[in-house]
Amino acid sequence: MPRQADIARVAGVSQATVSVVLGGNRTGVRLSEQTRLRVLEAAERLGYVPDPVAKRLASSRNNLLGLYTFTPAFPVDVADSYYPILAGVEAEAAALGKDLIMFTASSAVPDRIRRTRLADGCLFLGRHVPVDGIADLLAAGFPIVYIGRRTELGGRIPHVGADYVSASAEVITRLARAGHTRVRYLREPDDAPSSGDRERGVRAAAADVGASLVVTRTDGPDLDAASVRRWLADGVTALVVEETDTGAVFHATWRALGEAGISVPGDVSLAVLGRPPEGTPGPVISGFEVPRRALGRAAVRLLASLVEPGAGEPSLHRLLTCPPVVGETIATVA
């Protein structure tokens, strides 16, 4: 591999001059433009690539952004809910001239999380925050951004998330406009912020429109045909289901409706707070889009602004709008 000494020999200058030029002349050494161009041309001709370790020692940055995901394996299936987020991360990093280091571990052990400091800053992706590890990074002033709204550590975690509260409220309002006054909301028992935000939106909108709302927490196995028949007999005309990474509650609800012979939206209206799992048969399910690709891109931009602060202070907490999906599964109550 060519070294700076080789560039100096080809360009006919001292190695110190080469170091100044390739380092961007941060100290303001007086150099002629002709000399600067001669050094750059020699470096290009020799195929010189700076040693990233040496560059980091010199500048404290190496144009590397980390991405730490708590999934057991890096998701590559396009049907995986993380896939579009990761695609957005990659696209924006490339647009900014940044490279990515992937930290893929299902464990949130603080020692593993500290490895992210190999990068200039790190994105985190997962339903729950490893509080101890993240607190250590924040205390050290290491730039981090969480993909998804976070409330832990007193709200000090920079994040880019989706506005689930407003989007979920809009779904309930849409049902109310169609005449639905008795709604059952099905969600997983897990208390991730995204789940809490959806329920907050659902409850607030139901109170605003005067709808009767029952919230059922379930992981799916207890949902069966008898359950949904009983709900309909009690006057429920609409089911609303939380979207999660696993899709467990939606799958269980859809299966129970089929086993009970209940048609959607003929017998009951159905909406999902997000999108149904890929490949769900039947009509287009009403709900909203989670802007996952945009989340990935916006998170990279925020992280880059924390790594290299520019003019003005970036907004450390940003929520993106979730566009509604009208779908075909909300019918008007006769």
Side-chain angles (χ1 to χ4, degrees):
M1 293 178 61
R3 300 169 300 170
Q4 290 191 5
D6 302 316
I7 298 172
R9 176 176 48 79
V10 172
V13 298
S14 69
Q15 186 171 337
T17 298
V18 172
S19 179
V20 168
V21 172
L22 297 182
N25 197 5
R26 292 186 176 86
T27 57
V29 175
R30 295 185 65 180
L31 290 174
S32 70
E33 182 66 8
Q34 184 180 11
T35 298
R36 190 182 73 85
L37 292 175
R38 194 161 69 246
V39 170
L40 293 177
E41 289 169 0
E44 183 176 0
R45 186 160 71 249
L46 292 174
Y48 173 77
V49 177
D51 181 349
V53 175
K55 184 177 180 182
R56 181 176 179 84
L57 290 173
S59 67
S60 298
R61 298 192 185 97
N62 54 19
N63 285 327
L64 294 175
L65 301 180
L67 175 63
Y68 198 113
T69 173
F70 300 103
T71 52
F74 193 76
V76 294
D77 186 347
V78 295
D80 192 295
S81 62
Y82 282 173
Y83 181 88
I85 295 176
L86 297 168
V89 166
E90 181 183 24
E92 191 64 23
L96 295 178
K98 308 290 185 182
D99 288 317
L100 292 170
I101 302 179
M102 303 298 182
F103 300 95
T104 53
S106 58
S107 173
V109 177
D111 285 344
R112 291 187 177 182
I113 293 173
R114 292 189 191 102
R115 292 181 302 177
T116 60
R117 298 185 68 174
L118 291 168
D120 297 330
C122 191
L123 302 169
F124 285 84
L125 179 60
R127 278 176 68 81
H128 296 285
V129 170
V131 173
D132 291 341
I134 295 297
D136 289 345
L137 294 179
L138 289 173
F142 181 69
I144 67 168
V145 171
Y146 227 98
I147 301 177
R149 191 181 76 85
R150 310 312 311 189
T151 59
E152 298 85 348
L153 297 174
R156 293 186 294 118
I157 302 174
H159 62 250
V160 176
D163 187 357
Y164 292 124
V165 174
S166 298
S168 300
E170 191 278 333
V171 170
I172 299 299
T173 301
R174 203 187 316 170
L175 285 167
R177 286 198 301 265
H180 296 277
T181 58
R182 295 182 64 84
V183 178
R184 182 171 288 263
Y185 175 46
L186 308 174
R187 57 160 292 184
E188 292 190 11
D190 187 32
D191 278 323
S194 57
S195 297
D197 285 352
R198 285 178 168 95
E199 183 170 333
R200 277 203 297 136
V202 165
R203 287 188 179 278
D208 286 344
V209 299
S212 172
L213 175 73
V214 176
V215 177
T216 298
R217 291 194 176 212
T218 175
D219 54 7
D222 56 331
L223 291 181
D224 54 21
S227 298
V228 293
R229 288 196 190 101
R230 185 169 60 253
W231 298 337
L232 268 62
D234 289 341
V236 169
T237 60
L239 301 178
V240 178
V241 183
E242 176 190 19
E243 179 212 78
T244 62
D245 303 338
T246 65
V249 176
F250 182 87
H251 281 304
T253 303
W254 192 251
R255 182 182 63 252
L257 289 168
E259 291 173 352
I262 296 171
S263 68
V264 174
D267 298 321
V268 68
S269 289
L270 176 67
V272 60
L273 300 187
R275 300 302 303 130
E278 191 77 17
T280 299
V284 177
I285 308 296
S286 302
F288 56 79
E289 290 285 355
V290 179
R292 290 187 168 87
R293 189 177 295 263
L295 284 172
R297 300 197 73 135
V300 171
R301 290 194 297 272
L302 175 55
L303 182 61
S305 73
L306 297 178
V307 170
E308 299 182 30
E313 291 293 326
S315 174
L316 299 182
H317 305 122
R318 184 182 176 196
L319 297 180
L320 304 188
T321 299
C322 299
V325 173
V326 175
E328 305 167 336
T329 56
I330 294 180
T332 302
V333 176

